[in-house]
Amino acid sequence: MGFKSFFSFSNVSNKSFKELVSLSLQNWHFHKDIEATKISLAKPVKIKLQKLQHALTKFKLEKKQFPVLLHQTNSKYFKTTLLNTSIPREKLISRGFKKDSISFIPTGTYTVTINVGKFKETLDVKINHNESYFSILNKIAKTINSSDLPLYADVVYQKNGYEKIPTFEKGYILTLTPTNLEDDVDFTETQGFLLKKIGLSKIEPFEFSLKENEFSNLYIFQKFSPTSFTTSFFFPQEPINWDIGGYSFSFSSEVNSGDIKIQVVDESARRQLELLAADSQALVKDTSNWQDTINNLGLDTSEIDNDTTWNEVRGWLKDSIQVYSDTTYLELFLKIRDKLIELSQGEILPEILEQKNTIYLKNKEYKREEIALSFALSNLKLGERLVLTEGDNNLLDKLGLRGTAKPGKDSFIKLNGKEYTFSSSRISQQKGNILLEIKEENPHVQLYEVKKTTDEIIYRIERVIQAYNNIIPDILKNSWIWKSDFIKGFKKPFEDNQKALNLIGMDQDLDYFLRLNYDRLDATLSLADNGYTVIFNALLGDRGFFTQLKGYLEDILQNPISAYFSLKEQKVPLGTKEVENILSNQITGILLNKIVR
């Protein structure tokens, strides 16, 4: 396009030279703005179109997506939720672990026999020193998947409970799924207890039929609680003032056991031991006054023979918590806490409790803080309990742990006349995944009603509507840039299905934004199978709204977005000053031509 045609104006003889230049520059800036607008629109519009296409591709509609909600009439005692209507594929699930969590599982080869239906195979898994749980889970999965068993092992990462698999565990989780979902999966460990240490266990089935508009009777007899121990309360900065020597107690559960050993030593003797042990061949009895050093380390001199080295003596203390008589209770509790976590491989969860205490001295009141150490098992299995056994020098008595345990108990409920026992108040069923959270024990009958809910289908439809509405402003605000066929392509799918969409509660306002009437959608869903058919035909039928829209998007995204602009590209490579010079010459020629005529 030449400048004569590009910058041509009507009634040019009535315009001054300055006015002609101004109008010409406005026209040039207008076309320059078109190019900038088109460039700025192309990328974001394409991204929004792709998001809408993704939402449409993800949209599925099956009868099982019309879930059932357990509506409790009294939420004081319990809460019920239907998490997922699909049958879980996984048969066994481990506990959840952080990726960098060290296992402290003893080094060695562990042997397990796995049964899957009629198939049986014995497998070996070798564990290295201080190997992470993440590495161990993947190693077990690889071993199982390399076997001839009709079983698939996977390591799943889950941020939240029930996000991907039916468990409250978070982190990396080992799952075992049989090729034939009807097959049962079981295992027996013949060397070591590797699978027990990672908490591998079956998903507990919970049989309960869901019938619409049915009231169910629930009796809550006993809430779940773990075995928990709490020490006496001590002032955090108070020294323990224990005699030099060894103190210990043992803990045990169905999965784990270990010994907590505390060695009270003399600080100078401990430093001397490090110096003497630097020479790995130095014999104890070659050192003068060696008996005093051994005694000050809290050890028995009768255990020393002629070949005992100082390096060996240091090794005897390796697994102990080494403290001094002036070590504070806070320092001691922190060391015991870390040791319990290490030895139990995370199965025991200790915490330091704090409380304020009032002391009266000479008619004055003083507030002092006291601390205690409390611990219990985590991720309990049915019937699992924690037991402490006294060791050397009555350590349990010194800490105030003897007789302070709160006995653990499993959940016990009666549902529709059937009795159930669980290791947790959070109960899930295999078919329907009912989440039942018991808040308080109450032996009286509680009623809850089974109802349909539209939450799931509303959420899925809303995702598509939101993606659709996000594009509308870019189209309407700049309608003069788009080809008319481009805009019509977004209107036509709705217009073709308007009656059916209005029936399910979907409408379009004057600005072409989609709106959802939840009452109308609820009314349609209440029509049972007929409701499902109406929604399916309106959205996913051969000429349904979502079907047409998805096909239209596929056609658009095959081409560059610029192909749908109504104006051809205008290239104005010159700067403003250059345009002014050319315009000046052009307009001067036009005016002279007028004068000559």
Side-chain angles (χ1 to χ4, degrees):
M1 182 182 291
F3 276 96
K4 187 173 181 180
S5 58
F6 187 82
F7 298 107
S8 58
F9 307 98
S10 59
N11 301 319
V12 68
S13 58
N14 298 326
K15 306 287 185 184
S16 67
F17 176 77
K18 186 176 181 180
E19 287 175 324
L20 288 171
V21 172
S22 176
L23 287 170
S24 300
L25 286 173
Q26 288 177 23
N27 197 18
W28 174 73
H29 280 299
F30 171 75
H31 283 271
K32 187 179 180 184
D33 287 344
I34 290 176
E35 296 307 310
T37 302
K38 289 195 295 185
I39 292 170
S40 65
L41 272 179
K43 186 175 181 180
V45 168
K46 183 177 182 180
I47 291 173
K48 290 178 181 179
L49 291 172
Q50 289 171 335
K51 287 184 177 180
L52 176 56
Q53 185 185 45
H54 179 74
L56 288 166
T57 302
K58 286 286 185 181
F59 185 84
K60 306 293 181 185
L61 188 62
E62 301 175 16
K63 290 183 181 181
K64 69 179 182 180
Q65 287 174 1
F66 295 81
V68 178
L69 178 70
L70 301 177
H71 175 70
Q72 61 272 11
T73 57
N74 190 338
S75 59
K76 176 182 178 182
Y77 299 104
F78 69 100
K79 176 185 177 183
T80 48
T81 312
L82 190 71
L83 298 175
N84 189 346
T85 54
S86 62
I87 301 174
R89 293 171 50 82
E90 301 83 6
K91 291 296 178 75
L92 286 89
I93 300 177
S94 75
R95 296 204 306 268
F97 302 95
K98 294 180 180 179
K99 189 171 185 178
D100 55 354
S101 177
I102 301 299
S103 70
F104 299 106
I105 293 177
T107 304
T109 300
Y110 294 80
T111 305
V112 58
T113 300
I114 300 179
N115 298 276
V116 185
K118 297 179 180 179
F119 296 87
K120 180 179 179 181
E121 190 167 343
T122 299
L123 306 172
D124 290 332
V125 180
K126 186 178 180 180
I127 302 301
N128 300 322
H129 179 63
N130 282 358
E131 194 166 357
S132 70
Y133 277 112
F134 177 72
S135 171
I136 290 173
L137 297 183
N138 281 283
K139 188 175 286 187
I140 295 171
K142 184 178 180 181
T143 302
I144 292 173
N145 292 333
S146 300
S147 71
D148 294 328
L149 290 169
L151 183 67
Y152 176 69
D154 192 16
V155 178
V156 177
Y157 179 71
Q158 186 163 266
K159 287 184 179 179
N160 302 297
Y162 277 82
E163 178 189 20
K164 296 178 181 177
I165 53 178
T167 176
F168 284 91
E169 294 289 335
K170 301 174 186 178
Y172 289 91
I173 303 164
L174 176 68
T175 67
L176 301 186
T177 306
T179 305
N180 180 5
L181 294 181
E182 300 300 321
D183 285 345
D184 193 22
V185 182
D186 209 345
F187 65 89
T188 304
E189 301 194 76
T190 54
Q191 183 172 318
F193 295 97
L194 178 61
L195 300 187
K196 282 190 175 182
K197 288 180 182 295
I198 64 170
L200 191 70
S201 59
K202 290 185 178 182
I203 298 176
E204 296 176 349
F206 181 58
E207 298 176 1
F208 175 55
S209 61
L210 296 175
K211 296 179 182 178
E212 193 176 352
N213 300 322
E214 177 186 62
F215 279 90
S216 299
N217 300 327
L218 171 67
Y219 295 86
I220 305 168
F221 292 101
Q222 181 173 283
K223 280 185 64 177
F224 150 84
S225 65
T227 311
S228 61
F229 291 87
T230 302
T231 68
S232 300
F233 278 86
F234 300 91
F235 296 124
Q237 301 307 322
E238 179 186 350
I240 59 174
N241 288 326
W242 293 355
D243 294 334
I244 290 174
Y247 303 78
S248 66
F249 71 84
S250 301
F251 68 86
S252 62
S253 67
E254 188 176 332
V255 176
N256 256 311
S257 63
D259 298 318
I260 298 295
K261 299 176 181 178
I262 298 174
Q263 196 75 15
V264 181
V265 301
D266 177 75
E267 189 171 357
S268 60
R270 183 71 183 81
R271 288 197 299 268
Q272 186 180 6
L273 174 64
E274 289 299 322
L275 292 173
L276 293 169
D279 180 0
S280 60
Q281 303 302 317
L283 297 175
V284 174
K285 289 190 174 182
D286 286 348
T287 305
S288 60
N289 299 324
W290 62 269
Q291 295 93 337
D292 293 339
T293 303
I294 292 297
N295 287 329
N296 287 331
L297 291 172
L299 301 174
D300 188 349
T301 55
S302 64
E303 296 177 356
I304 307 297
D305 58 31
N306 293 331
D307 297 322
T308 303
T309 64
W310 285 111
N311 193 44
E312 287 178 294
V313 172
R314 182 171 60 177
W316 295 346
L317 302 177
K318 179 182 176 183
D319 295 328
S320 300
I321 299 171
Q322 295 175 45
V323 297
Y324 310 119
S325 60
D326 61 353
T327 295
T328 66
Y329 277 100
L330 176 59
E331 292 170 331
L332 176 66
F333 284 168
L334 290 172
K335 290 176 181 291
I336 296 176
R337 181 195 65 182
D338 293 344
K339 200 67 175 178
L340 280 170
I341 294 173
E342 175 189 332
L343 294 177
S344 70
Q345 296 150 31
E347 188 193 21
I348 292 179
L349 292 180
E351 61 175 330
I352 294 178
L353 306 180
E354 297 179 358
Q355 74 173 16
K356 300 291 184 181
N357 189 42
T358 304
I359 299 176
Y360 299 94
L361 292 174
K362 295 182 180 180
N363 297 323
K364 287 189 177 181
E365 187 178 290
Y366 297 90
K367 297 287 187 183
R368 293 191 64 179
E369 183 183 89
E370 293 182 329
I371 60 170
L373 182 67
S374 179
F375 51 93
L377 292 174
S378 62
N379 305 308
L380 288 182
K381 304 297 180 284
L382 185 64
E384 190 174 7
R385 302 288 180 264
L386 178 63
V387 178
L388 302 186
T389 305
E390 187 70 274
D392 297 330
N393 287 322
N394 299 316
L395 179 56
L396 292 180
D397 276 342
K398 281 187 174 296
L399 295 175
L401 284 172
R402 183 181 294 279
T404 63
K406 292 183 179 178
K409 57 184 180 181
D410 299 309
S411 290
F412 174 43
I413 68 170
K414 184 180 284 188
L415 182 61
N416 287 348
K418 291 185 178 180
E419 295 182 357
Y420 299 94
T421 304
F422 295 91
S423 60
S424 169
S425 297
R426 296 184 173 95
I427 299 167
S428 65
Q429 72 161 44
Q430 190 170 4
K431 295 185 179 181
N433 289 340
I434 296 174
L435 170 61
L436 175 60
E437 295 176 281
I438 301 174
K439 298 180 180 179
E440 290 186 24
E441 295 176 25
N442 190 308
H444 300 294
V445 62
Q446 304 295 322
L447 299 177
Y448 59 88
E449 186 182 3
V450 182
K451 289 183 176 180
K452 277 192 175 180
T453 176
T454 58
D455 292 348
E456 177 73 14
I457 186 61
I458 286 174
Y459 169 73
R460 292 175 181 272
I461 293 176
E462 279 181 337
R463 287 186 65 183
V464 178
I465 289 177
Q466 184 180 10
Y468 181 95
N469 287 344
N470 283 345
I471 299 173
I472 298 301
D474 295 295
I475 296 174
L476 296 183
K477 182 181 177 182
N478 305 286
S479 59
W480 50 276
I481 282 183
W482 302 103
K483 290 181 178 179
S484 58
D485 290 345
F486 178 79
I487 300 175
K488 287 178 182 177
F490 284 93
K491 298 178 183 178
K492 191 174 186 302
F494 184 87
E495 292 171 352
D496 289 350
N497 295 275
Q498 187 166 357
K499 287 185 179 180
L501 292 173
N502 289 163
L503 182 62
I504 69 171
M506 193 182 297
D507 227 327
Q508 197 170 45
D509 62 23
L510 295 177
D511 292 325
Y512 301 104
F513 286 100
L514 295 178
R515 300 286 182 259
L516 195 60
N517 185 309
Y518 300 107
D519 291 336
R520 264 187 281 167
L521 181 58
D522 274 332
T524 305
L525 286 171
S526 66
L527 299 174
D529 288 348
N530 290 336
Y532 164 81
T533 303
V534 170
I535 295 175
F536 185 91
N537 289 338
L539 300 178
L540 299 178
D542 292 339
R543 299 292 298 164
F545 178 40
F546 287 177
T547 303
Q548 284 193 50
L549 198 57
K550 185 179 177 183
Y552 179 58
L553 288 174
E554 289 173 355
D555 292 338
I556 291 176
L557 292 171
Q558 286 178 355
N559 304 309
I561 299 301
S562 59
Y564 299 94
F565 291 143
S566 62
L567 298 173
K568 294 182 179 178
E569 292 186 4
Q570 302 286 347
K571 295 183 179 179
V572 186
L574 301 176
T576 305
K577 289 293 182 184
E578 294 172 288
V579 173
E580 286 179 352
N581 293 334
I582 294 173
L583 285 175
S584 176
N585 294 332
Q586 290 280 342
I587 294 171
T588 302
I590 293 171
L591 293 174
L592 288 172
N593 188 36
K594 290 283 184 181
I595 294 170
V596 170
R597 288 183 181 179

